[in-house]
Amino acid sequence: MRLNVWLPLGAVLALVVITALVGLLSSEPELFSNADLMGLIGAFSILVSMMIGVATSLGITSEFAHNTIRPTLAATPNRSVVFAAKAIVSVLFGLAVGTVAVITSYLAGSLLLNGRGGDVALSGDDGSLAAFFGVIVLAGLLALFGYGLGLLLRNGPGAVSIIILWPLLIEGILSGVLSVAGVEDPQRFMPYGSAFALVITDSNDASGGRISGGLFFGIVALALVVAGIVMNNRRDV
């Protein structure tokens, strides 16, 4: 099994182990709420989603690096169709891994907590249900984002670096610059960071809200894919 498959699966396993350990070692499981459990899962699911983005970026860049894309393009001269189909597959892969991640980690955490006297169940009242599905959506968006970067750059290390450094460094610097310039709540202009609103239970803690944050990042990810398709239609493989 290749690295671009092991990365997200390893991240999912790590999320499940962390959630299980919290459920097993929590000193007061009866005080652990639905929002607490989904808050924990949501925080670590960001890393899972990033690894999914890394996997989809490596998937497309490796095809260019090893020239395995040539037979596909030779069989289907319409490159736009090929790259769009790969984008769809990438999103489906992200959604599938995100679904497995959130279901297995939530089951592990809730079963252990409830078995020790807790009372944890998904609810729409405290935002835990929205965060549950938000984990899946974020995974799909990061898959599209990673694929778009890989398609545009055609360079695996470059795409992976941006996927990891964008939220940790680039958006932090830009947000700081905007803040110094007097822009109020600059975080709402940061697409990557805005998407994290999908996986937190209280959307009031996020700039712009849950839905708008996801849509913002989705538009950016889609724009990268479109730009990548346009660029590759004009370049030799």
PDB file of all heavy atoms in Angstrom, residues 132-147:
ATOM      1  N   PHE A 132     -20.025  16.774  13.972  1.00  0.00           N
ATOM      2  CA  PHE A 132     -19.848  15.393  13.503  1.00  0.00           C
ATOM      3  C   PHE A 132     -19.831  15.363  11.979  1.00  0.00           C
ATOM      4  O   PHE A 132     -18.920  14.818  11.353  1.00  0.00           O
ATOM      5  CB  PHE A 132     -20.981  14.523  14.052  1.00  0.00           C
ATOM      6  CG  PHE A 132     -20.895  13.072  13.674  1.00  0.00           C
ATOM      7  CD1 PHE A 132     -20.222  12.177  14.486  1.00  0.00           C
ATOM      8  CD2 PHE A 132     -21.499  12.606  12.519  1.00  0.00           C
ATOM      9  CE1 PHE A 132     -20.147  10.823  14.139  1.00  0.00           C
ATOM     10  CE2 PHE A 132     -21.428  11.270  12.170  1.00  0.00           C
ATOM     11  CZ  PHE A 132     -20.753  10.373  12.980  1.00  0.00           C
ATOM     12  N   PHE A 133     -20.836  15.969  11.363  1.00  0.00           N
ATOM     13  CA  PHE A 133     -20.887  16.001   9.899  1.00  0.00           C
ATOM     14  C   PHE A 133     -19.858  16.984   9.325  1.00  0.00           C
ATOM     15  O   PHE A 133     -19.397  16.818   8.199  1.00  0.00           O
ATOM     16  CB  PHE A 133     -22.296  16.365   9.429  1.00  0.00           C
ATOM     17  CG  PHE A 133     -23.299  15.276   9.648  1.00  0.00           C
ATOM     18  CD1 PHE A 133     -24.253  15.365  10.649  1.00  0.00           C
ATOM     19  CD2 PHE A 133     -23.279  14.138   8.856  1.00  0.00           C
ATOM     20  CE1 PHE A 133     -25.174  14.352  10.853  1.00  0.00           C
ATOM     21  CE2 PHE A 133     -24.207  13.109   9.054  1.00  0.00           C
ATOM     22  CZ  PHE A 133     -25.140  13.215  10.057  1.00  0.00           C
ATOM     23  N   GLY A 134     -19.502  17.980  10.126  1.00  0.00           N
ATOM     24  CA  GLY A 134     -18.492  18.929   9.681  1.00  0.00           C
ATOM     25  C   GLY A 134     -17.140  18.281   9.468  1.00  0.00           C
ATOM     26  O   GLY A 134     -16.378  18.685   8.572  1.00  0.00           O
ATOM     27  N   VAL A 135     -16.825  17.278  10.279  1.00  0.00           N
ATOM     28  CA  VAL A 135     -15.565  16.542  10.113  1.00  0.00           C
ATOM     29  C   VAL A 135     -15.516  15.896   8.733  1.00  0.00           C
ATOM     30  O   VAL A 135     -14.495  15.932   8.040  1.00  0.00           O
ATOM     31  CB  VAL A 135     -15.416  15.472  11.212  1.00  0.00           C
ATOM     32  CG1 VAL A 135     -14.253  14.544  10.907  1.00  0.00           C
ATOM     33  CG2 VAL A 135     -15.218  16.127  12.574  1.00  0.00           C
ATOM     34  N   ILE A 136     -16.624  15.332   8.313  1.00  0.00           N
ATOM     35  CA  ILE A 136     -16.692  14.667   7.005  1.00  0.00           C
ATOM     36  C   ILE A 136     -16.543  15.675   5.879  1.00  0.00           C
ATOM     37  O   ILE A 136     -15.801  15.456   4.909  1.00  0.00           O
ATOM     38  CB  ILE A 136     -18.017  13.894   6.873  1.00  0.00           C
ATOM     39  CG1 ILE A 136     -18.136  12.852   7.985  1.00  0.00           C
ATOM     40  CG2 ILE A 136     -18.127  13.240   5.498  1.00  0.00           C
ATOM     41  CD1 ILE A 136     -19.486  12.168   8.046  1.00  0.00           C
ATOM     42  N   VAL A 137     -17.239  16.801   6.004  1.00  0.00           N
ATOM     43  CA  VAL A 137     -17.174  17.839   4.970  1.00  0.00           C
ATOM     44  C   VAL A 137     -15.766  18.409   4.863  1.00  0.00           C
ATOM     45  O   VAL A 137     -15.241  18.612   3.761  1.00  0.00           O
ATOM     46  CB  VAL A 137     -18.183  18.960   5.265  1.00  0.00           C
ATOM     47  CG1 VAL A 137     -18.017  20.098   4.269  1.00  0.00           C
ATOM     48  CG2 VAL A 137     -19.607  18.426   5.212  1.00  0.00           C
ATOM     49  N   LEU A 138     -15.127  18.678   6.010  1.00  0.00           N
ATOM     50  CA  LEU A 138     -13.772  19.225   5.987  1.00  0.00           C
ATOM     51  C   LEU A 138     -12.806  18.260   5.309  1.00  0.00           C
ATOM     52  O   LEU A 138     -11.925  18.687   4.549  1.00  0.00           O
ATOM     53  CB  LEU A 138     -13.297  19.518   7.410  1.00  0.00           C
ATOM     54  CG  LEU A 138     -11.887  20.112   7.523  1.00  0.00           C
ATOM     55  CD1 LEU A 138     -11.818  21.470   6.840  1.00  0.00           C
ATOM     56  CD2 LEU A 138     -11.452  20.228   8.979  1.00  0.00           C
ATOM     57  N   ALA A 139     -12.969  16.969   5.562  1.00  0.00           N
ATOM     58  CA  ALA A 139     -12.105  15.976   4.931  1.00  0.00           C
ATOM     59  C   ALA A 139     -12.262  16.005   3.405  1.00  0.00           C
ATOM     60  O   ALA A 139     -11.279  15.935   2.667  1.00  0.00           O
ATOM     61  CB  ALA A 139     -12.428  14.581   5.464  1.00  0.00           C
ATOM     62  N   GLY A 140     -13.506  16.148   2.942  1.00  0.00           N
ATOM     63  CA  GLY A 140     -13.730  16.232   1.497  1.00  0.00           C
ATOM     64  C   GLY A 140     -13.139  17.490   0.899  1.00  0.00           C
ATOM     65  O   GLY A 140     -12.554  17.473  -0.193  1.00  0.00           O
ATOM     66  N   LEU A 141     -13.260  18.616   1.609  1.00  0.00           N
ATOM     67  CA  LEU A 141     -12.723  19.883   1.119  1.00  0.00           C
ATOM     68  C   LEU A 141     -11.197  19.873   1.073  1.00  0.00           C
ATOM     69  O   LEU A 141     -10.592  20.383   0.130  1.00  0.00           O
ATOM     70  CB  LEU A 141     -13.212  21.039   1.999  1.00  0.00           C
ATOM     71  CG  LEU A 141     -14.694  21.371   1.924  1.00  0.00           C
ATOM     72  CD1 LEU A 141     -15.034  22.503   2.890  1.00  0.00           C
ATOM     73  CD2 LEU A 141     -15.102  21.756   0.507  1.00  0.00           C
ATOM     74  N   LEU A 142     -10.571  19.298   2.108  1.00  0.00           N
ATOM     75  CA  LEU A 142      -9.107  19.221   2.110  1.00  0.00           C
ATOM     76  C   LEU A 142      -8.608  18.287   1.027  1.00  0.00           C
ATOM     77  O   LEU A 142      -7.533  18.505   0.452  1.00  0.00           O
ATOM     78  CB  LEU A 142      -8.617  18.755   3.473  1.00  0.00           C
ATOM     79  CG  LEU A 142      -8.032  19.823   4.406  1.00  0.00           C
ATOM     80  CD1 LEU A 142      -6.783  20.468   3.816  1.00  0.00           C
ATOM     81  CD2 LEU A 142      -9.047  20.870   4.735  1.00  0.00           C
ATOM     82  N   ALA A 143      -9.378  17.241   0.717  1.00  0.00           N
ATOM     83  CA  ALA A 143      -9.008  16.355  -0.380  1.00  0.00           C
ATOM     84  C   ALA A 143      -9.007  17.114  -1.698  1.00  0.00           C
ATOM     85  O   ALA A 143      -8.095  16.972  -2.522  1.00  0.00           O
ATOM     86  CB  ALA A 143      -9.973  15.169  -0.444  1.00  0.00           C
ATOM     87  N   LEU A 144     -10.032  17.953  -1.904  1.00  0.00           N
ATOM     88  CA  LEU A 144     -10.112  18.757  -3.124  1.00  0.00           C
ATOM     89  C   LEU A 144      -9.005  19.807  -3.147  1.00  0.00           C
ATOM     90  O   LEU A 144      -8.397  20.049  -4.197  1.00  0.00           O
ATOM     91  CB  LEU A 144     -11.482  19.440  -3.194  1.00  0.00           C
ATOM     92  CG  LEU A 144     -11.790  20.213  -4.485  1.00  0.00           C
ATOM     93  CD1 LEU A 144     -11.853  19.269  -5.680  1.00  0.00           C
ATOM     94  CD2 LEU A 144     -13.105  20.979  -4.350  1.00  0.00           C
ATOM     95  N   PHE A 145      -8.740  20.414  -2.012  1.00  0.00           N
ATOM     96  CA  PHE A 145      -7.691  21.425  -1.900  1.00  0.00           C
ATOM     97  C   PHE A 145      -6.324  20.827  -2.236  1.00  0.00           C
ATOM     98  O   PHE A 145      -5.542  21.400  -3.009  1.00  0.00           O
ATOM     99  CB  PHE A 145      -7.695  21.990  -0.481  1.00  0.00           C
ATOM    100  CG  PHE A 145      -6.658  23.050  -0.231  1.00  0.00           C
ATOM    101  CD1 PHE A 145      -6.858  24.350  -0.663  1.00  0.00           C
ATOM    102  CD2 PHE A 145      -5.501  22.750   0.468  1.00  0.00           C
ATOM    103  CE1 PHE A 145      -5.905  25.337  -0.421  1.00  0.00           C
ATOM    104  CE2 PHE A 145      -4.550  23.724   0.724  1.00  0.00           C
ATOM    105  CZ  PHE A 145      -4.749  25.020   0.274  1.00  0.00           C
ATOM    106  N   GLY A 146      -6.026  19.675  -1.657  1.00  0.00           N
ATOM    107  CA  GLY A 146      -4.751  19.015  -1.921  1.00  0.00           C
ATOM    108  C   GLY A 146      -4.608  18.603  -3.371  1.00  0.00           C
ATOM    109  O   GLY A 146      -3.539  18.776  -3.981  1.00  0.00           O
ATOM    110  N   TYR A 147      -5.682  18.085  -3.935  1.00  0.00           N
ATOM    111  CA  TYR A 147      -5.651  17.696  -5.348  1.00  0.00           C
ATOM    112  C   TYR A 147      -5.421  18.918  -6.222  1.00  0.00           C
ATOM    113  O   TYR A 147      -4.615  18.874  -7.167  1.00  0.00           O
ATOM    114  CB  TYR A 147      -6.958  17.010  -5.727  1.00  0.00           C
ATOM    115  CG  TYR A 147      -7.092  16.767  -7.220  1.00  0.00           C
ATOM    116  CD1 TYR A 147      -6.439  15.699  -7.824  1.00  0.00           C
ATOM    117  CD2 TYR A 147      -7.867  17.615  -8.010  1.00  0.00           C
ATOM    118  CE1 TYR A 147      -6.553  15.483  -9.188  1.00  0.00           C
ATOM    119  CE2 TYR A 147      -7.977  17.406  -9.378  1.00  0.00           C
ATOM    120  CZ  TYR A 147      -7.317  16.343  -9.952  1.00  0.00           C
ATOM    121  OH  TYR A 147      -7.418  16.136 -11.322  1.00  0.00           O
TER     122      TYR A 147
END
